[in-house]
């Protein structure tokens, strides 16, 4: 699975699993991830969102705003569930 997601063994991976909605605050996680990446100049960190929801498009906009779009980004069916989507940064 790591290889198919371009995750190396030395990469530090953050994972969000759930509905992308205000109450779960995935935007805060994305902001914290971006801050960690910038302040610590870390290139070996990854953030994976698994799920879908009303904040999906807002997350996509933030990805562009934070210049993360050059990273691998996908929305696709994932693992065993046709309704499960993921974003990998």
């Amino acid at each position: 699975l790591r290889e198919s997601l371009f995750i190396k063994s030395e990469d530090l991976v953050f994972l969000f699993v759930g509905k992308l909605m205000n109450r779960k605050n995935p935007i805060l996680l994305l902001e914290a991830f971006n801050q960690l990446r910038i302040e610590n100049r870390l290139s070996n960190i990854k953030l994976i969102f698994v799920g879908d929801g009303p904040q999906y498009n807002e997350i996509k906009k933030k990805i562009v705003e934070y210049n993360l779009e050059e990273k691998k980004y996908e929305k696709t069916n994932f693992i065993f569930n046709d309704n499960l989507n993921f974003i990998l940064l």
Side-chain angles (χ1 to χ4, degrees):
L1 185 59
R2 280 182 167 266
E3 289 175 11
S4 67
L5 296 175
F6 306 100
I7 298 172
K8 299 174 188 162
S9 60
E10 63 270 9
D11 287 343
L12 178 61
V13 179
F14 296 90
L15 176 66
F16 175 96
V17 179
K19 190 165 187 175
L20 303 174
M21 58 191 291
N22 283 334
R23 186 176 70 193
K24 300 203 177 186
N25 215 347
I27 300 295
L28 179 63
L29 176 60
L30 181 58
E31 291 169 349
F33 172 80
N34 188 52
Q35 216 42 42
L36 183 64
R37 187 181 62 86
I38 292 169
E39 289 179 5
N40 295 303
R41 295 183 179 94
L42 296 174
S43 61
N44 68 327
I45 60 173
K46 306 283 187 214
L47 174 58
I48 302 173
F49 288 97
V50 178
D52 204 353
Q55 286 194 309
Y56 180 80
N57 288 327
E58 187 177 349
I59 289 171
K60 284 185 1 182
K61 288 178 187 173
K62 290 282 186 187
I63 289 168
V64 172
E65 180 183 329
Y66 296 153
N67 293 317
L68 295 170
E69 70 272 9
E70 76 277 0
K71 304 290 185 193
K72 179 149 178 59
Y73 169 81
E74 291 187 30
K75 181 177 187 219
T76 186
N77 294 332
F78 185 65
I79 306 185
F80 305 109
N81 184 335
D82 289 341
N83 297 318
L84 195 59
N85 298 304
F86 78 95
I87 301 172
L88 169 64
L89 304 176

